[in-house]
Amino acid sequence: MCGIVGYIGKRVAIPILVDGLKKLEYRGYDSAGVAVLDCEKIVVSKSVGKLVALEEELGQSYSQSCIGIGHTRWATHGRPSQVNAHPHCDCKQDFVVVHNGIIENYLELKDMLIEKGHKFASETDTEVLAHLLEAYYEGDLEGAVRNVLKTIRGSYAMVVLRRQDPNKLVAARKDSPMVVGLGDGEFFVASDITAILNYTRKVYILDDGEMVVITEDGVKVFDFEGNPRAKEVYDVKWDAVAAEKGGYEHFMLKEIHEQPKALKDTMLGRLEDEKVVLQEVDLTLEELAQINKVYIVACGTAWHAGLVGKTLIERWAHLPVEVDIASEFRYRSPLVDDHTLVVVVSQSGETADTLAALREAKNRGARVVAVTNVVGSTVSREAHDVIFTWAGPEIAVASTKAYTTQLEGMVLLGLYLSQVKGTLPKERIAEIITALRKIPAQVQELLDQSSLIKELAESFAKVENTFFIGRSLDWAVAMEGSLKLKEISYIHAEAYAAGELKHGTLALITEATPVIALATQRDVYEKTISNVKEVKARDAKVIGLTYKGNTSMAKSVDHVIYIPETMDELSPILTVIPLQLLSYYVSVARGCDVDKPRNLAKSVTVE
Ligand code: F6R
């Protein structure tokens, strides 16, 4: 997730671009840059770090050009650096581009362009866009952009400026947001409304598959074939703070709602019909044959993702897996050597305990694979192989979209290992891939029922203790559900393996104790229901979660939340959604600080 902005009008562009980028910094903040057209030349300024660094770089005597584009980056392809920062140019510096998203087929395009003699400066996927424009240009910028759009695969919002077209910006979007601001004799283009709210409240919200040509005279919208599209002007009524949160009341809710896209992005370019492609992981059959044990090491929510990973890897790749809390792992002399695969999971890639565990594992000779959300993070740099989750920046302290994309990372890794080892038949892999592809839409289906969860949350607001129970993968999700509720609503919540209750905890269940029972795993369903009956017999108030079509649970609980039908192994990605929403609405109802819960920090960089 990056932020892009463009301006054309009568005012000096640079301050407007920088101001817009400041509002978009929440979308990414590892580097930034602007490009303007000055004396028939494209002038690019970039810097690493937050926007203040770019402001310092630009100083006071910047170009007075009235047309330009800007970008604030959240690294995906290529670590954060000056050279990887946008905007990116072609060989002759005729075309300059900013881009948000992922160009899935960039490697093959890059090879093709290099063969034709193009020289690349950066490691980014974006740079192929500038070189493709150079290669395709035949006297018409819009035509060249259209041809580029036909060539690339992936998700993108991009803005293009050409040196010899001093009064024109061309932009396009597919699966990444983009708006066009309509001012008085001036126009703006940006990743979201926040960036331009200081200048105009009249916008076109571009749809997927739309391309826009912006000149001083006006804005024309087309489809990718060049057919004109009529657009309605949208009058923005939100204030700037709400706009930054995309109109949501809190970052957490926004991030919960971003999950369909984050999950879609994370699988982008990694799924074929019968195969998972993990370009960043390079484990050969010979290397894997040497591995006799896997450790998954992480903290908090990431550890919960690891608990799911254990079952998937054991079930699919037939490798024994231990899951460790990072702060415990390093002090218990784990039996790790060069026959061990250590998987570290970390959203930030900077968690001190996880990093220490990674170093410990490397010192002992283990091969380390990281699953992380931040390109350029210490974890991503120090691990041997990295699976990036493409969730974009997570601002709320409580992790939501990072968790579900970590679960997806575990699915990808489990399939990858089984593929290399040949432990799953192709048909089974194909079946899992088909089910995985449906997950983003199924998450959306659950999000569309938020109002039902909100109603349930009202009854939770006054509760002080609650239990989450489940078996197998449901138990792992129960732990995540209880952590979410604890951390943002300060309600004491315990997660228990459902079969373990009767060994002590059942003593705590009294009349009206709320119990959330997860029952999505078909092989242990009957057993879980027996445990539900045990708590019901003590008059607990039970909310059950099970898959759609299973009508039997309603007979045993007070309320049922239905999860769309999927494979048991993938259900954690769905089951957690109502639990995230429940925690969110309970926290709001209790008047807690949802995005910044007391005593907590987003990234724990101390031991
Ligand atoms: C809880 C939460 C934390 C993090 C943990 C690890 O919602 O976000 O438990 O999961 O601090 O952080 P990362 O994944 O950055 O290593």
Side-chain angles (χ1 to χ4, degrees):
M1 199 156 102
C2 305
I4 61 184
V5 63
Y7 175 77
I8 180 166
K10 304 237 176 322
R11 292 194 252 186
V12 177
I14 283 183
I16 294 174
L17 297 174
V18 171
D19 181 51
L21 292 178
K22 273 188 194 157
K23 305 287 180 339
L24 295 176
E25 228 179 348
Y26 76 93
R27 297 179 65 87
Y29 37 75
D30 59 46
S31 53
V34 291
V36 292
L37 206 54
D38 199 352
C39 302
E40 297 177 14
K41 268 175 129 178
I42 287 171
V43 180
V44 180
S45 312
K46 302 177 182 187
S47 68
V48 178
K50 294 207 165 201
L51 263 160
V52 282
L54 179 65
E55 285 182 290
E56 275 167 27
E57 164 84 21
L58 289 163
Q60 296 303 317
S61 54
Y62 45 74
S63 160
Q64 298 296 294
S65 165
C66 298
I67 181 167
I69 57 180
H71 189 271
T72 172
R73 182 165 187 248
W74 169 260
T76 56
H77 295 68
R79 59 198 177 79
S81 68
Q82 175 113 3
V83 80
N84 286 336
H86 298 214
H88 288 288
C89 291
D90 65 314
C91 304
K92 296 194 210 110
Q93 304 257 316
D94 281 347
F95 298 89
V96 63
V97 183
V98 287
H99 159 233
N100 165 35
I102 297 168
I103 307 299
E104 234 179 271
N105 55 339
Y106 86 102
L107 276 179
E108 61 191 75
L109 293 172
K110 189 169 177 175
D111 288 346
M112 180 270 285
L113 288 159
I114 288 174
E115 208 154 285
K116 286 191 172 170
H118 289 258
K119 299 261 179 299
F120 279 75
S122 75
E123 303 158 303
T124 63
D125 52 343
T126 303
E127 199 184 337
V128 297
L129 299 174
H131 290 278
L132 280 176
L133 286 165
E134 181 183 12
Y136 290 172
Y137 185 80
E138 284 176 350
D140 154 37
L141 180 58
E142 292 90 308
V145 172
R146 265 197 301 275
N147 282 335
V148 170
L149 298 176
K150 280 182 197 140
T151 311
I152 57 176
R153 287 199 310 272
S155 68
Y156 45 81
M158 66 170 96
V159 191
V160 177
L161 170 62
R162 180 174 173 260
R163 184 170 69 85
Q164 297 87 340
D165 277 309
N167 294 313
K168 192 185 279 181
L169 293 176
V170 180
R173 75 155 269 185
K174 180 180 165 274
D175 292 336
S176 285
M178 184 172 257
V179 296
V180 177
L182 311 168
D184 187 7
E186 59 181 0
F187 302 97
F188 311 79
V189 56
S191 296
D192 85 33
I193 291 166
T194 349
I196 55 180
L197 222 48
N198 280 344
Y199 309 99
T200 180
R201 289 187 165 262
K202 302 227 174 301
V203 299
Y204 287 151
I205 298 176
L206 293 189
D207 291 318
D208 273 347
E210 286 185 337
M211 183 177 129
V212 57
V213 180
I214 309 170
T215 63
E216 270 178 357
D217 303 326
V219 177
K220 288 188 179 139
V221 182
F222 303 91
D223 64 18
F224 284 2
E225 301 303 321
N227 304 306
R229 284 257 178 108
K231 294 297 289 183
E232 260 179 47
V233 177
Y234 178 73
D235 200 0
V236 184
K237 301 254 181 343
W238 317 328
D239 64 44
V241 177
E244 196 180 56
K245 294 178 188 145
Y248 292 100
E249 207 180 323
H250 298 97
F251 279 111
M252 182 181 177
L253 190 59
K254 175 172 178 272
E255 286 158 8
I256 289 174
H257 281 267
E258 279 169 355
Q259 289 178 109
K261 170 140 173 53
L263 289 160
K264 221 168 149 190
D265 284 350
T266 300
M267 61 177 87
L268 215 63
R270 289 170 167 168
L271 299 182
E272 290 179 4
D273 289 347
E274 294 181 339
K275 205 172 137 204
V276 161
V277 183
L278 286 182
Q279 268 158 2
E280 320 91 313
V281 185
D282 187 18
L283 272 163
T284 61
L285 180 57
E286 291 68 42
E287 285 165 337
L288 214 47
Q290 299 301 310
I291 302 291
N292 55 24
K293 179 145 197 187
V294 180
Y295 279 93
I296 304 180
V297 189
C299 301
T301 287
W303 176 65
H304 296 155
L307 294 171
V308 173
K310 170 185 166 72
T311 300
L312 303 187
I313 294 171
E314 288 184 343
R315 212 176 267 185
W316 292 341
H318 305 175
L319 280 163
V321 184
E322 260 192 65
V323 191
D324 253 278
I325 289 174
S327 54
E328 293 292 319
F329 177 81
R330 53 190 295 222
Y331 294 116
R332 70 175 183 84
S333 298
L335 298 173
V336 171
D337 57 23
D338 54 358
H339 295 292
T340 316
L341 178 69
V342 172
V343 180
V344 293
V345 188
S346 175
Q347 186 283 128
S348 61
E350 302 296 346
T351 300
D353 289 320
T354 308
L355 199 51
L358 180 158
R359 290 175 178 155
E360 178 73 28
K362 271 178 91 178
N363 282 343
R364 289 170 183 253
R367 173 84 172 241
V368 179
V369 176
V371 178
T372 182
N373 196 36
V374 182
V375 176
S377 59
T378 315
V379 161
S380 77
R381 281 184 279 120
E382 295 195 12
H384 297 111
D385 310 86
V386 187
I387 300 173
F388 286 109
T389 50
W390 299 132
E394 199 176 57
I395 311 282
V397 164
S399 191
T400 53
K401 60 178 181 170
Y403 173 68
T404 45
T405 52
Q406 281 161 0
L407 291 179
E408 201 177 1
M410 293 293 126
V411 171
L412 294 171
L413 180 63
L415 287 177
Y416 175 84
L417 295 175
S418 70
Q419 214 166 267
V420 179
K421 287 191 73 194
T423 44
L424 278 185
K426 270 190 172 173
E427 303 72 50
R428 176 77 177 142
I429 297 185
E431 207 186 330
I432 300 169
I433 288 176
T434 306
L436 185 60
R437 284 200 167 112
K438 290 186 189 154
I439 290 285
Q442 292 177 318
V443 169
Q444 188 58 54
E445 207 180 302
L446 284 161
L447 293 173
D448 292 342
Q449 296 163 27
S450 297
S451 55
L452 297 176
I453 311 285
K454 192 173 177 186
E455 273 171 39
L456 273 179
E458 310 284 316
S459 63
F460 258 79
K462 294 203 169 61
V463 159
E464 285 312 324
N465 291 293
T466 185
F467 291 86
F468 288 71
I469 59 169
R471 285 171 179 255
S472 180
L473 289 175
D474 282 332
W475 177 31
V477 181
M479 288 195 218
E480 175 58 9
S482 87
L483 173 61
K484 274 314 74 112
L485 192 66
K486 276 184 273 212
E487 69 176 326
I488 60 168
S489 71
Y490 318 142
I491 292 175
H492 175 234
E494 293 252 14
Y496 250 79
E500 183 68 7
L501 278 180
K502 55 186 172 295
H503 298 287
T505 319
L506 205 52
L508 289 171
I509 306 286
T510 55
E511 197 185 338
T513 305
V515 174
I516 297 172
L518 280 59
T520 72
Q521 300 298 300
R522 289 163 178 87
D523 56 343
V524 286
Y525 176 75
E526 298 295 338
K527 305 265 176 222
T528 309
I529 292 299
S530 302
N531 303 130
V532 167
K533 292 205 164 120
E534 286 163 10
V535 295
K536 263 324 279 174
R538 274 88 191 164
D539 290 326
K541 188 167 178 261
V542 184
I543 296 176
L545 274 85
T546 193
Y547 46 89
K548 232 188 214 169
N550 172 18
T551 49
S552 73
M553 194 172 199
K555 295 178 198 132
S556 313
V557 301
D558 298 279
H559 188 93
V560 190
I561 299 170
Y562 290 102
I563 306 299
E565 182 86 20
T566 188
M567 304 178 86
D568 286 4
E569 288 87 346
L570 303 186
S571 76
I573 311 179
L574 301 177
T575 316
V576 76
I577 306 291
L579 305 185
Q580 294 171 343
L581 286 166
L582 183 73
S583 305
Y584 171 78
Y585 287 119
V586 171
S587 174
V588 172
R590 286 166 72 95
C592 302
D593 189 345
V594 177
D595 285 336
K596 292 197 180 111
R598 69 185 179 209
N599 308 339
L600 299 178
K602 182 65 187 160
S603 180
V604 187
T605 52
V606 291
E607 241 194 280

